[in-house]
Amino acid sequence: LVMLVMLDGIASYSVALHFSRRVYDNWLYDSARALGEKVKIANGKVTLALPAEAIDILEWDISDRTFFTVRADNEGTLLGERAFPLPPTLPPPDLKGSYYDTEFEGVPVRAVAIRLPDSSENVLVIVGETLIKRTALTREILVAMITSQALLAAAALALIWFGIRGGLEPLQAIAQDRKSTRLNSSHGYI
């Protein structure tokens, strides 16, 4: 039973990690797509017009730090963090996100990179964030799952205990009766 609970704990952690990663990865992707939609290519020149207020909104987060960069082959970094790490492999130019874990400024970061399609210029949009909210959500899901599983395991143990105890009572009565019978027969009382 202990091994089963341990395996269930590992599975629960995997499920919690999967869902927290999925939710926050989707938010990263949405931010990258929104940023990519502001990129304009005209006459072979890549531009990105983004008001300061929009940058503030993109970077604002109460818990995590959000980083972004927009890069073009011929133009270099158009906006954002010049030193932000690139993905291990460049995504295809189809707006599908390429997610990766990296480190920036000494802090673990989850990032998504998209490459804009239909352009003569290779334009890469990257958005990343630190892992504080992800870790907190994973922990909350895990605590909720483990609490309910611990209560379930305790209830199962109690049922097993009372079931065995209740099943043994008639056997103990029979054993006691046989013991009394043997004692009486050895003293000649039968």
Side-chain angles (χ1 to χ4, degrees):
L1 186 62
V2 171
M3 183 60 87
L4 186 62
V5 170
M6 287 175 55
L7 289 173
D8 192 47
I10 292 168
S12 295
Y13 176 75
S14 297
V15 168
L17 186 62
H18 167 76
F19 283 109
S20 66
R21 179 170 273 196
R22 187 172 180 179
V23 166
Y24 288 109
D25 279 356
N26 286 341
W27 287 351
L28 282 178
Y29 179 76
D30 290 345
S31 295
R33 281 291 303 264
L35 193 54
E37 288 176 5
K38 299 301 177 190
V39 173
K40 304 295 180 221
I41 302 172
N43 301 325
K45 178 115 172 116
V46 180
T47 58
L48 177 62
L50 205 59
E53 293 83 9
I55 294 171
D56 290 342
I57 290 170
L58 186 62
E59 289 180 331
W60 187 88
D61 192 309
I62 198 163
S63 303
D64 283 299
R65 288 185 59 205
T66 303
F67 309 99
F68 65 92
T69 187
V70 180
R71 297 178 182 165
D73 282 348
N74 293 328
E75 308 290 328
T77 301
L78 301 171
L79 187 67
E81 303 285 346
R82 292 185 191 286
F84 195 86
L86 292 172
T89 57
L90 287 179
D94 59 4
L95 291 178
K96 289 186 179 171
S98 176
Y99 297 92
Y100 61 104
D101 296 307
T102 189
E103 193 171 289
F104 186 61
E105 297 179 349
V107 179
V109 173
R110 178 78 170 162
V112 63
I114 60 171
R115 205 162 66 167
L116 301 184
D118 304 328
S119 71
S120 56
E121 179 81 21
N122 236 348
V123 179
L124 189 65
V125 177
I126 302 172
V127 177
E129 71 177 354
T130 55
L131 308 176
I132 296 167
K133 286 187 306 240
R134 291 169 185 263
T135 303
L137 180 60
T138 301
R139 190 177 304 120
E140 285 178 35
I141 293 170
L142 192 57
V143 165
M145 291 175 79
I146 288 178
T147 301
S148 63
Q149 290 165 355
L151 291 172
L152 184 62
L157 285 173
L159 287 173
I160 290 169
W161 171 258
F162 289 117
I164 290 173
R165 193 167 163 211
L168 288 177
E169 280 180 8
L171 293 175
Q172 287 174 336
I174 292 171
Q176 184 64 34
D177 188 42
R178 288 194 43 105
K179 188 176 178 181
S180 297
T181 304
R182 252 188 277 132
L183 281 175
N184 289 340
S185 67
S186 66
H187 291 350
Y189 295 123
I190 296 185

